[in-house]
Amino acid sequence: MTHEHVVADLALAEAGRHQIRLAEQEMPGLTSLREQYGDSRPLAGARIAGSLHMTTQTAVLIETLTALGADVRWASCNIYSTQDDAAAAVVVGPGTFSAPAGPPVFAIKGETLDEYWEYTDRILTWEGFDGPTMILDDGGDATLLVHEGVRFEAAGEVPAPLEEEDPSYNEEVESMRKVLRRSLAADPTRFTRMAAGILGSSEETTTGVHRLDQMHARGEPVVPRDQRQRLGH
């Protein structure tokens, strides 16, 4: 089976691995978790979709989650911040350049907005399952994609594309809706089923938390209220 990933160049993995080893020395909390819980694998069965800056430090987090048993898929939350060597190193993982064996990563420094939303969609796509059990978000875009998918599936359609001259036109919104139109055409209940299986969504930024608060105030969050309270979000 072809290893699933989109990175700039797997040949950067060796340089990325060197940087990850250095970062591990500055992140003793995560490395100690591996030592303490690696054998018991407490996250076994968890499917984690991550949308954070794909940096060397994030690579340490990703590899800690996998060491604790989680199945992880990752994209960048920003089109400019990806460190391509770190992304390549995560994908190669314990494997080799010709046979990568790390978690799927979809991130390239300088990717387009259309690619950004495509990659965000791909971290939510799990073979054999309706979607992730958890979302680790930064800026709220992965959570937003699920939320908007549920909303438009209930409506039975995604709004028609706007022209650039339209005062309401927003390039990022239009890119996101392209993904949702494709999804709705292929599977009209995909995000609805996905949302039912998500146990929690974490958020790093105040912007993302504000967005979640607004959704909650409107009665729209995709994560059931009792689960969000239990998880502290």
Side-chain angles (χ1 to χ4, degrees):
M1 180 180 295
T2 301
H3 186 280
E4 193 178 9
H5 63 272
V6 179
V7 297
D9 187 352
L10 287 181
L12 298 172
E14 184 176 352
R17 180 54 54 190
H18 175 68
Q19 295 300 319
I20 290 170
R21 292 192 190 100
L22 293 176
E24 287 173 341
Q25 303 306 308
E26 303 298 325
M27 304 174 75
L30 290 181
T31 55
S32 65
L33 285 175
R34 300 180 193 178
E35 295 169 2
Q36 186 171 357
Y37 298 108
D39 290 340
S40 60
R41 296 172 63 81
L43 295 181
R47 300 185 300 279
I48 299 178
S51 175
L52 278 73
H53 298 276
M54 184 55 250
T55 64
T56 300
Q57 290 72 30
T58 305
V60 178
L61 171 61
I62 294 170
E63 295 187 341
T64 299
L65 294 172
T66 58
L68 299 182
D71 190 5
V72 178
R73 297 171 70 83
W74 213 268
S76 176
C77 68
N78 185 288
I79 66 175
Y80 299 115
S81 65
T82 295
Q83 294 174 334
D84 289 324
D85 55 354
V90 170
V91 168
V92 170
T96 64
F97 172 81
S98 58
V105 174
F106 309 93
I108 296 175
K109 183 179 179 65
E111 64 198 42
T112 67
L113 275 177
D114 283 352
E115 289 169 336
Y116 172 84
W117 285 105
E118 176 191 342
Y119 300 161
T120 302
D121 187 54
R122 290 183 71 171
I123 67 171
L124 300 170
T125 304
W126 299 73
E127 185 174 358
F129 298 96
D130 287 328
T133 57
M134 292 184 245
I135 297 175
L136 300 187
D137 223 346
D138 181 356
D141 283 344
T143 304
L144 177 66
L145 188 63
V146 176
H147 175 264
E148 292 293 271
V150 171
R151 186 163 74 94
F152 291 137
E153 285 176 358
E157 63 178 356
V158 179
L162 298 177
E163 298 294 334
E164 292 188 27
E165 296 77 15
D166 192 302
S168 299
Y169 178 85
N170 180 296
E171 183 180 7
E172 189 157 6
V173 170
E174 292 304 313
S175 290
M176 177 185 65
R177 288 181 175 180
K178 287 179 187 177
V179 169
L180 294 175
R181 288 188 194 96
R182 290 197 299 267
S183 177
L184 192 66
D187 184 345
T189 63
R190 174 190 171 215
F191 281 103
T192 303
R193 299 194 313 272
M194 183 188 302
I198 296 175
L199 300 177
S201 175
S202 69
E203 175 53 50
E204 181 173 342
T205 65
T206 52
T207 298
V209 170
H210 183 59
R211 179 184 285 172
L212 290 173
D213 285 343
Q214 289 177 323
M215 291 163 59
H216 174 65
R218 295 193 299 265
E220 297 176 347
V222 299
V223 180
R225 180 179 176 82
D226 61 332
Q227 294 175 347
R228 284 183 291 110
Q229 288 177 330
R230 200 161 58 237
L231 291 162
H233 298 294

